[in-house]
Amino acid sequence: MENQSHRFDILSAEALRNHHLNSSLERLRGGLSWTRAAALEQFPQFDQAKVRAVEVKDHCLRHLDHYLEQLESAVTAQGGQVHWAIDAAAASQTVVDLCRKHSAHKVIKSKSMVTEEIALNRHLEDAGFEVTETDLGEYIIQLRQEPPSHIVGPAIHLTVDQVAQTFAEHHTDHPSARRPERAAVSDLVTEAREVLRSRFLEADVGITGANFLVADSGTAVVVTNEGNADLCAVLPRVQIVVAGIDKVVPNARETANLLRLLTRSATGQPCATYTSFFSPGGHAQSPPDRPFHLVLVDNGRSRLVGSEQQDILRCIRCGACMNHCPVYAEIGGQAYGSVYPGPMGAVWTPALVGLERSAVLPAASTFCGRCESVCPVAIPLPRLMRNWRAEAHERGLDPPATRLGLRLWRTAHRRA
């Protein structure tokens, strides 16, 4: 990844001039923050659940080796296979090798940020596999060859007209191609469903991520509102789950507590439309010998354990920090030039790609503290961003103008 400083300046300036983007982001400025607030009013146990979630996540990080080994044993005992990937390249290559091993040609995927992180689609396509995203938002940005702009709503930056134009350009064989107008959202959803139906039925391998990995049962928990993850897990003859090692939790009881926080913080729902629990051989519709693979991705996570940035490993990917961030609300996610945008991305990205290539991102904040106040697992995001900023300054990675300004301020302060 190239240095983000110059790119962020350009992309954020372009975003501010993009009227379509500004219109789309209006949904964040009021919509998602309002639905979260309304959901919490109906959940008086939120603070108690939040405290428990922090305790459990921190406990898991202190004993990460134990819970990962327990998870591996549980998956293996049920006939599944666990694969360990030290970095993004190893993770993608593992999935490519598994697809080759099972003589696959067509692959379907449900929404997964960690597969975005490791650029899995590109590696699979370069290896000759046909890959289809099945989450509606991910499918749209795949057609447009764009990165996601939000970790929950990847296509939230697009207007209905832009989606209609994208479908018109790519669904040339669909009956709607003969109709000049594709204005109704319901028509676009129906069109996507009809196009994707054959992809589900023809796929050899289904790939999902995991919101949580339950250590004592070897279960991958996936939350969606479309049900596409269930089809990805059940219909193909091979199932692959790709997840970061930070997703592990001890048991189903603690998972349930985290789920209550996740859905309310992400979309304001008491629970998602679909909350699915996948284990090796765990589907009544599947043969008992159906291959189940769990790819556990490190990619810099273990380096954060025990560091001053460890708290970011509690992140449950709800997106609340983005929904309440005044910077994100003005420029959207793609301006960050990173898979993970917003406040959590400003902390995650330097850990993943190196501070020397992303020092500008922790500085892209007003430090108003709203991100920390709405985080369901109490991640002190402003402090973690300041940690990166301090390190960037010590290493001489911050912009020359910033360093000059600090020197002038220090001189003026000493003379005052």
Side-chain angles (χ1 to χ4, degrees):
M1 181 183 293
E2 65 182 288
N3 190 293
Q4 298 296 301
S5 300
H6 182 59
R7 290 195 67 212
F8 181 79
D9 290 344
I10 295 174
L11 293 174
S12 57
E14 291 176 350
L16 291 171
R17 295 191 296 267
N18 188 329
H19 299 298
H20 288 298
L21 176 63
N22 189 270
S23 174
S24 297
L25 290 175
E26 284 292 336
R27 285 172 285 180
L28 282 179
R29 296 178 185 130
L32 290 176
S33 58
W34 182 87
T35 56
R36 173 190 176 276
L40 296 193
E41 286 183 2
Q42 303 300 317
F43 183 38
Q45 306 86 1
F46 177 81
D47 289 338
Q48 180 182 355
K50 179 177 177 177
V51 170
R52 180 58 184 169
V54 173
E55 292 174 349
V56 169
K57 291 290 285 184
D58 284 347
H59 170 79
C60 284
L61 293 172
R62 288 194 301 270
H63 304 282
L64 188 58
D65 54 346
H66 166 74
Y67 286 111
L68 289 174
E69 289 174 0
Q70 184 182 29
L71 174 69
E72 180 181 34
S73 297
V75 171
T76 303
Q78 299 173 77
Q81 296 184 44
V82 176
H83 310 265
W84 301 84
I86 189 63
D87 56 23
S92 290
Q93 189 59 51
T94 297
V95 177
V96 168
D97 291 343
L98 289 172
C99 290
R100 286 174 175 160
K101 173 185 176 181
H102 293 291
S103 303
H105 299 285
K106 297 182 178 182
V107 178
I108 53 175
K109 290 177 69 266
S110 70
K111 184 179 178 301
S112 163
M113 287 307 301
V114 74
T115 61
E116 293 280 359
E117 174 187 320
I118 66 176
L120 181 58
N121 283 10
R122 175 171 58 80
H123 285 87
L124 286 169
E125 290 167 353
D126 289 347
F129 299 101
E130 179 183 316
V131 185
T132 302
E133 293 283 356
T134 61
D135 172 86
L136 180 58
E138 289 284 348
Y139 175 66
I140 292 167
I141 64 171
Q142 182 185 29
L143 294 180
R144 295 173 63 88
Q145 297 184 340
E146 294 179 358
S149 62
H150 193 285
I151 61 174
V152 174
I156 200 169
H157 61 293
L158 299 174
T159 64
V160 173
D161 289 342
Q162 288 174 306
V163 175
Q165 181 60 35
T166 299
F167 282 7
E169 293 171 358
H170 291 86
H171 296 168
T172 55
D173 294 332
H174 192 270
S176 64
R178 294 189 293 272
R179 290 190 287 105
E181 299 296 332
R182 284 178 166 93
V185 173
S186 59
D187 290 340
L188 294 173
V189 172
T190 298
E191 183 175 333
R193 182 183 296 117
E194 291 170 349
V195 171
L196 289 172
R197 187 170 297 153
S198 63
R199 313 287 179 88
F200 282 118
L201 296 174
E202 295 169 358
D204 304 299
V205 171
I207 299 175
T208 73
N211 293 92
F212 304 105
L213 298 169
V214 186
D216 67 351
S217 63
T219 304
V221 182
V222 182
V223 176
T224 71
N225 278 320
E226 299 174 20
N228 57 301
D230 296 66
L231 296 177
C232 287
V234 173
L235 292 179
R237 53 186 171 84
V238 179
Q239 180 182 2
I240 300 175
V241 177
V242 184
I245 59 174
D246 54 306
K247 296 293 187 179
V248 67
V249 292
N251 51 53
R253 179 175 181 176
E254 302 300 349
T255 302
N257 183 58
L258 287 161
L259 284 168
R260 298 169 84 189
L261 295 171
L262 172 63
T263 54
R264 288 172 170 84
S265 298
T267 57
Q269 296 169 277
C271 63
T273 307
Y274 298 88
T275 301
S276 306
F277 295 74
F278 302 125
S279 299
H283 309 302
Q285 303 95 326
S286 305
D289 59 346
R290 180 175 180 269
F292 177 99
H293 299 276
L294 172 60
V295 180
L296 291 172
V297 182
D298 186 331
N299 202 31
R301 288 161 172 80
S302 60
R303 292 196 301 269
L304 293 176
V305 176
S307 75
E308 63 179 5
Q309 304 296 75
Q310 175 179 295
D311 288 344
I312 192 62
L313 292 172
R314 291 203 299 263
C315 181
I316 58 175
R317 307 295 192 276
C318 67
C321 61
M322 300 172 198
N323 301 342
H324 293 78
C325 175
V327 176
Y328 181 96
E330 293 298 324
I331 64 175
Q334 294 180 339
Y336 289 81
S338 169
V339 170
Y340 298 105
M344 64 80 61
V347 178
W348 259 107
T349 302
L352 296 176
V353 307
L355 185 59
E356 64 279 0
R357 294 151 73 181
S358 57
V360 68
L361 298 183
S365 173
T366 65
F367 293 92
C368 65
R370 294 188 72 193
C371 53
E372 180 176 3
S373 68
V374 299
C375 178
V377 285
I379 299 174
L381 288 161
R383 176 172 64 80
L384 300 185
M385 284 186 276
R386 282 194 291 269
N387 289 343
W388 283 130
R389 289 182 69 178
E391 182 178 340
H393 184 73
E394 291 172 1
R395 295 170 56 184
L397 300 175
D398 45 356
T402 299
R403 299 180 68 81
L404 175 61
L406 288 172
R407 284 197 296 269
L408 293 174
W409 177 87
R410 182 175 59 186
T411 300
H413 181 72
R414 286 176 174 174
R415 293 179 177 177

